[in-house]
């Protein structure tokens, strides 16, 4: 990547942090990162800023005209933090901006550089990061230090090729201009649940959107599924997105065609929160047909990516992206998936991480639901709507309503009276003794129950015989034993 202009480097200063830095904002004319005309590092002999040149304090504010951004302890040192030459890496003497939340700007630059140097989810890189730290690893992979343990010559050669022209400062400046930021482990906004991935944890995350990622991720659920979904799958995904958003859940998906897009749209339609985890840079809308949707998510929700700005998706990156979706959320719902589906990869990774895994059933004749059904035969839980999802992954009080059929009036009868009603023949009725015998009670009690049914409109009396009330509309398919004109056409059904 080419070096940013002087103004571009000035814009990069606040991008070094996951939150706006209050000491130095975007450059004004004559301020910011040193540019041309001798406004580079502080004058010779000044060295690290001393009295009157330290962090802007009361009455000092940002550096004045002609000073640029102070070196050593403030901003980005002019000579060292310009565009990095091929293989140069993070400068040895770089101190940069003050430490924020345990992450120095040197670490942040190194991690930003590593996102372009290595592929997401590389566990070897994760082990090296854990043992060496990001700055030492960056130098090691670019030939500025001792090679990491186990690194082959081919791997180091590949890293050297990728390091040519690499400029993390320009990447940070670009993401800042797009209203984004780069967060990494140690930031306040870093979601701790991603640490469950161990050595496969992201090196860092490029983020676009106004919300705080860590807080949103605490109450989030993934909705994933087939790209070539059916109308049924799209309807269910949209309904889940809407229902979860209305219950205060953040809907997470991958912004792909099919189920992903329907889930995002459902959440947005409800005025809810949604996060799209991309397999490309957050400035590269993919798929292209979802460019408008992705921009809406960036405005109303959050876009996340492990890859730096300008990076394009590949098939392996889609699969690796799924582990972030699984780890970030409290549970994963799969809506339509074939046997070979990236959605099943997400669900199984969620199972491995101890997250809730759910599936929405579909027609047994549909190949689009075959993978979900196989998942449901294992440890996944069957769900049909947002209420059931919230009940499974939510807290106390997140209970789905009880499922039952419609309540009919005969359901309100006590068991003995209901037995007397069932004892009456659908054709011709019965006398009292027949009713008592069929219902297993005495004649006196049977007579009392028949009079109750008469008052309720279930039966009528013709001399010594008791008959079910005749249906208003014969042949309407109703069942016997219900009163007329009450919405329960139950007459005329033969035993």
């Amino acid at each position: 990547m080419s070096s940013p202009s002087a103004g571009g480097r000035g814009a990069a200063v606040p991008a070094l942090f996951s939150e706006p830095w209050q000491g130095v904002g975007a450059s004004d004319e004559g301020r910011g990162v040193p540019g041309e005309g001798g406004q580079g590092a502080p004058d010779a002999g000044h060295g690290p800023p001393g009295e009157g040149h330290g962090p802007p304090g009361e009455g000092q504010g940002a550096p004045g005209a002609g000073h640029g951004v102070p070196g050593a302890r403030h901003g980005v040192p002019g000579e060292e933090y310009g565009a990095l030459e091929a293989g140069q890496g993070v400068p040895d003497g770089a101190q940069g901006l003050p430490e924020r939340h345990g992450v120095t700007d040197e670490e942040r630059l190194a991690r930003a550089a590593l996102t372009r140097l290595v592929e997401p989810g590389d566990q070897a890189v994760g082990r090296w990061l854990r043992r060496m730290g990001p700055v030492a690893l960056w130098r090691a992979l670019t030939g500025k230090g001792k090679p990491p343990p186990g690194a082959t010559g081919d791997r180091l050669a590949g890293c050297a090729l990728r390091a040519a022209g690499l400029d993390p400062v320009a990447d940070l400046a670009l993401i800042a201009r797009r209203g984004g930021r780069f967060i990494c482990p140690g930031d306040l906004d870093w979601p701790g649940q991603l640490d469950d991935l161990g050595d496969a944890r992201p090196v860092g995350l490029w983020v676009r959107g106004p919300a705080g990622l860590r807080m949103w991720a605490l109450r989030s659920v993934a909705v994933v599924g087939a790209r070539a979904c059916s109308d049924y799958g799209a309807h269910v995904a949209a309904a889940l997105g809407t229902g979860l958003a209305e219950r205060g859940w953040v809907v997470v998906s991958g912004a792909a065609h099919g189920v992903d897009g329907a889930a995002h749209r459902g959440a947005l339609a409800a005025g809810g929160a949604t996060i799209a985890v991309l397999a490309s840079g957050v400035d590269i809308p993919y798929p292209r047909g979802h460019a408008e949707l992705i921009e809406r998510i960036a405005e109303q929700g959050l876009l996340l990516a492990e890859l730096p700005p300008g990076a394009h998706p590949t098939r392996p990156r889609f699969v690796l992206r799924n582990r972030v979706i699984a780890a970030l959320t409290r549970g994963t719902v799969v809506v339509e998936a074939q046997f070979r589906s990236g959605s099943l990869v997400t669900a199984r990774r969620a199972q491995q991480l101890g997250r809730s895994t759910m599936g929405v059933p579909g027609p047994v004749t549909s190949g689009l639901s075959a993978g979900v059904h196989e998942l449901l035969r294992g440890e996944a839980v069957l769900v049909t709507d947002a209420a059931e999802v919230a009940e499974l992954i939510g807290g106390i009080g997140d209970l789905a309503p009880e499922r039952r059929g419609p309540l009919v009036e005969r359901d309100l009868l006590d068991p003995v009276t209901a037995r007397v009603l069932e004892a009456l023949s659908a054709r011709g009725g019965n006398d009292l003794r027949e009713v008592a015998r069929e219902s297993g009670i005495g004649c006196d009690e049977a007579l009392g129950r028949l009079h109750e049914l008469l008052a309720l409109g279930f039966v009528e009396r013709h001399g010594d015989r008791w008959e079910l009330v005749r249906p208003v509309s014969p042949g309407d398919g109703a069942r016997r034993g219900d009163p007329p004109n009450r919405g329960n056409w139950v007459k005329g059904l033969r035993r």
Side-chain angles (χ1 to χ4, degrees):
M1 180 177 293
S2 61
S3 302
S5 64
R9 288 198 300 270
V13 174
L16 294 176
F17 301 94
S18 60
E19 299 175 8
W21 183 53
Q22 300 300 320
V24 178
S27 313
D28 293 327
E29 185 176 358
R31 294 167 54 189
V33 175
E36 299 177 357
Q39 294 180 2
D43 295 339
H46 279 54
E51 183 177 357
H53 294 275
E58 184 176 355
Q60 293 181 1
H67 281 58
V69 174
R73 292 172 53 201
H74 312 290
V76 180
E79 295 294 336
E80 294 178 336
Y81 272 64
L84 299 181
E85 297 178 358
Q88 181 179 349
V90 177
D92 293 340
Q95 306 243 349
L97 293 168
E99 183 173 329
R100 297 272 298 186
H101 313 316
V103 181
T104 65
D105 63 312
E106 188 180 27
E107 291 180 35
R108 195 177 306 280
L109 280 169
R111 285 184 177 271
L114 286 170
T115 63
R116 194 173 288 282
L117 190 66
V118 301
E119 286 295 311
D122 191 322
Q123 296 194 50
V125 172
R127 288 192 297 271
W128 294 335
L129 263 176
R130 177 163 42 84
R131 295 171 184 173
M132 304 172 63
V135 177
L137 178 59
W138 163 252
R139 291 171 177 154
L141 290 176
T142 54
K144 299 297 182 180
K146 183 180 178 181
T152 63
D154 288 342
R155 174 146 204 176
L156 293 175
C159 288
L161 288 174
R162 283 195 171 188
L166 188 150
D167 189 351
V169 173
D171 286 339
L172 292 167
L174 175 59
I175 195 66
R177 288 194 297 271
R178 297 300 301 271
R181 58 203 182 274
F182 178 68
I183 65 172
C184 48
D187 283 328
L188 285 179
D189 204 24
W190 180 260
Q193 57 266 46
L194 291 180
D195 299 343
D196 294 346
L197 290 170
D199 290 335
R201 180 180 72 173
V203 174
L205 288 174
W206 301 87
V207 182
R208 283 182 63 198
L213 174 59
R214 184 175 69 89
M215 297 306 297
W216 272 29
L218 291 176
R219 189 175 168 85
S220 64
V221 57
V223 180
V224 298
R227 286 176 171 81
C229 68
S230 66
D231 291 342
Y232 162 79
H235 172 77
V236 171
L240 283 172
T242 298
L244 289 166
E246 289 174 343
R247 288 167 172 79
W249 288 90
V250 179
V251 178
V252 180
S253 198
H257 288 300
V259 167
D260 289 17
H264 287 306
R265 291 188 180 96
L268 292 171
T274 188
I275 297 174
V277 183
L278 306 181
S280 61
V282 291
D283 60 333
I284 302 295
Y286 188 89
R288 296 294 185 183
H290 278 181
E292 183 179 353
L293 173 63
I294 291 171
E295 284 303 312
R296 281 189 63 200
I297 295 173
E299 294 172 2
Q300 298 179 229
L302 287 172
L303 296 179
L304 309 183
E306 294 182 80
L307 295 162
H312 290 271
T314 62
R315 188 180 299 272
R317 288 172 175 175
F318 282 111
V319 177
L320 292 166
R321 178 268 310 271
N322 293 340
R323 83 192 194 287
V324 177
I325 296 177
L328 189 68
T329 55
R330 292 174 63 171
T332 296
V333 186
V334 183
V335 182
E336 289 195 329
Q338 297 182 346
F339 281 119
R340 287 178 56 85
S341 170
S343 303
L344 298 184
V345 174
T346 308
R348 288 169 179 146
R349 194 59 184 266
Q351 286 180 343
Q352 295 169 3
L353 293 169
R355 311 292 197 264
S356 296
T357 307
M358 297 151 278
V360 178
V364 297
T365 55
S366 172
L368 284 171
S369 293
V372 181
H373 295 163
E374 184 66 22
L375 196 66
L376 290 172
R377 293 183 64 191
E379 297 180 4
V381 177
L382 186 150
V383 294
T384 60
D385 60 18
E388 292 177 351
V389 174
E391 180 181 53
L392 186 63
I393 65 175
I396 297 174
D398 287 322
L399 298 176
E402 182 182 357
R403 309 295 182 182
R404 56 178 301 169
L407 183 67
V408 296
E409 293 180 349
R410 65 173 177 272
D411 294 334
L412 303 177
L413 300 175
D414 66 78
V416 176
T417 305
R419 200 161 67 240
V420 170
L421 182 62
E422 290 295 324
L424 291 171
S425 172
R427 301 180 65 184
N430 305 84
D431 61 27
L432 180 61
R433 292 182 63 83
E434 290 174 338
V435 173
R437 182 177 66 250
E438 290 293 329
S439 59
I441 59 176
C443 288
D444 291 340
E445 185 174 2
L447 181 62
R449 303 288 179 168
L450 286 169
H451 277 286
E452 289 181 18
L453 293 170
L454 178 64
L456 292 171
F458 284 92
V459 301
E460 56 189 10
R461 185 172 184 177
H462 298 280
D464 293 336
R465 301 192 69 79
W466 296 84
E467 299 179 6
L468 295 172
V469 172
R470 305 297 299 175
V472 174
S473 177
D476 53 16
R479 297 179 60 187
R480 57 186 289 270
D482 277 332
N485 302 319
R486 300 190 182 185
N488 301 313
W489 304 118
V490 294
K491 323 303 179 286
L493 182 64
R494 301 179 182 179
R495 288 192 176 187

